[in-house]
Amino acid sequence: MATKWLVFYLLSGFSMAVFPLFIITHYQENHQQLGKKFLVSSLHSTLSETQKVWPKLEFGWRIVVATIIGFLGSAFGTVGGVGGGGIFVPMLTLIVGFDTKSAAALSKCMIMAASASSVWYNLRVQHPCRDVPILDYDLALLFQPMLMLGITLGVALSVVFPYWLITVLIIILFLGTSSRSFSRGIMMWKEETILNTELTKQQNTFVNSRGELLIDTEYEPLCPKEEKSAMQIMSFNLNWKRLLLLVIVWVSFVLLQVLKNDVAACTTWYWVLNLIQFPVAFGVFGYEAVKLYEEGRKRKITGNTQSVCEASIEFTPITLSFCALCGLLGGTVGGLLGSGGGFILGPLLLEIGVIPQVASATATFVMLFSSSLSVVEFYFLKRFPITYALYLMSVSLLAGFWGQYLVRKMVVFLKRASLIVFILSAVIFASALTMGVIGIEKTVHMINNHEFVGFLDFCSNQ
């Protein structure tokens, strides 16, 4: 039941966005008396919307500002586990000057680089409270195939959906998830305040074996955490069996995209290669869903109250179905917006009870697979310039590592894991403002200029 709010935002966003399309289409059909001149200008504006605009990579104030925003967006985006695509796309369009679809493709490149460096950092970090890997491979296998399936659908639809529809989805989805994450952050902050107060009392007051009250005695935990070297931690965090399964899923999707690239759109083989993705995704998801369901049922029978994975919810068939739907819709929206799907996965992991450090690490880990798949797809579609992509990826690569390093140090020093939740909420809210305002302004401009605002033809635009 904890994931219903995410499904509500996604479904309501689609329904509220699609309904006005019929009104606009009806309006356009009833105003054909504008004549041939209007038709020609509409077709010209449609072509201009799909035209590539690739500025040259040269030193100037634009590249300096883009570097700063890209660094900060990657640093905070990966810490929150959302990637930062909602910040990168407006930056690349408004400041650098790319067209919207090329900006979305470059945004994926930046998310992939930042996710890679963040995963490298997290592999050398211990779980904060349990002797398990900080990357939750079970949850990664549960969500990764559905996110990747959704992203392939979203990338295909990104050349078809009108700009105003994507704007409506942004506003509804991002504001909903950011407000929910902020509320959860406040709850965690209050709980941490109570916990820190209790720990302070334990440290300042201690009774020895003779019943004497000692003040300001250093508190020593009964079970001190075992110190491990960086290589030992990395070896412990790497589950090669589960990682191999994740890589196999990723390779399967990449091969299908490579094969699909040599096939004409909307032909029989084109649809066959697209439909093959569904059994691959649902097969892996079903395998992991059955595993989690059986583990939860056995623990319930034996009276074991320990949670399955890091999640505090019970993995019932209904809950698992909600997870599949959220993963699929989240990946689709991520493919449309140029994000890595983290805007859904990050808040969803927190909602089902995963602690912030594990939620951030796991969401970033899954985004590495999903964003890299999108980069491969956009590369074959020739959606981004290689030189710009390499430069922005190098910026994000550094930002992802240092963002994780500095924020994790702050979390340990302040004993406030809720900082990660507030960063996640802030990044999503900033993305809602930037992309929402830009989307509304551009949509109003298109309507005032009588430009075409409906769906483009799917087959001719692939």
Side-chain angles (χ1 to χ4, degrees), residues 134-384:
I134 195 169
L135 300 176
D136 198 316
Y137 289 92
D138 287 325
L139 290 177
L141 278 169
L142 186 69
F143 288 106
Q144 184 230 26
M146 303 309 293
L147 274 173
M148 294 183 72
L149 176 61
I151 282 181
T152 58
L153 297 176
V155 170
L157 294 175
S158 65
V159 298
V160 179
F161 273 39
Y163 200 82
W164 63 266
L165 174 58
I166 298 177
T167 302
V168 172
L169 290 174
I170 290 170
I171 295 173
I172 295 175
L173 177 63
F174 285 14
L175 289 182
T177 52
S178 64
S179 60
R180 181 69 182 185
S181 299
F182 184 74
S183 299
R184 180 160 288 275
I186 293 176
M187 292 173 56
M188 291 187 62
W189 182 276
K190 294 178 179 178
E191 293 173 356
E192 289 166 347
T193 301
I194 297 173
L195 180 61
N196 289 338
T197 302
E198 292 295 326
L199 288 176
T200 302
K201 290 180 180 180
Q202 291 179 9
Q203 291 173 352
N204 295 334
T205 304
F206 188 82
V207 178
N208 64 13
S209 58
R210 293 174 296 187
E212 297 173 340
L213 185 65
L214 305 179
I215 306 298
D216 294 333
T217 302
E218 183 179 359
Y219 175 75
E220 293 290 341
L222 295 178
C223 299
K225 205 168 187 177
E226 181 185 356
E227 293 294 332
K228 298 180 180 179
S229 65
M231 288 302 298
Q232 287 176 324
I233 296 173
M234 181 177 292
S235 177
F236 182 73
N237 281 328
L238 283 172
N239 187 329
W240 292 106
K241 182 179 179 181
R242 313 294 278 173
L243 182 61
L244 179 61
L245 186 55
L246 288 166
V247 171
I248 289 174
V249 175
W250 182 85
V251 171
S252 300
F253 274 86
V254 170
L255 288 177
L256 289 173
Q257 303 312 312
V258 172
L259 293 174
K260 191 175 67 174
N261 183 64
D262 296 327
V263 178
C266 296
T267 60
T268 301
W269 278 110
Y270 176 86
W271 294 115
V272 168
L273 292 174
N274 274 287
L275 291 175
I276 289 176
Q277 297 174 107
F278 285 85
V280 173
F282 280 100
V284 177
F285 174 84
Y287 165 78
E288 190 61 33
V290 171
K291 178 179 178 294
L292 293 177
Y293 173 75
E294 291 295 331
E295 286 183 2
R297 189 173 62 85
K298 289 179 181 178
R299 295 187 185 198
K300 188 175 181 180
I301 293 175
T302 58
N304 188 350
T305 58
Q306 186 180 4
S307 61
V308 180
C309 303
E310 286 291 335
S312 59
I313 66 169
E314 183 181 352
F315 284 106
T316 63
I318 295 178
T319 303
L320 291 168
S321 299
F322 272 122
C323 289
L325 183 60
C326 287
L328 184 61
L329 292 181
T332 303
V333 175
L336 284 171
L337 306 183
S339 62
F343 288 100
I344 292 294
L345 185 58
L348 177 60
L349 292 178
L350 292 173
E351 189 67 21
I352 64 178
V354 180
I355 62 175
Q357 296 95 320
V358 177
S360 172
T362 305
T364 306
F365 180 56
V366 174
M367 273 198 304
L368 175 60
F369 291 99
S370 59
S371 59
S372 59
L373 174 66
S374 298
V375 170
V376 172
E377 292 187 77
F378 283 132
Y379 174 78
F380 285 118
L381 291 173
K382 298 180 180 179
R383 290 276 191 85
F384 58 85

Side-chain angles (χ1 to χ4, degrees), residues 394-407:
S394 64
V395 172
S396 297
L397 200 68
L398 293 173
F401 180 87
W402 287 107
Q404 289 282 351
Y405 176 81
L406 294 175
V407 173

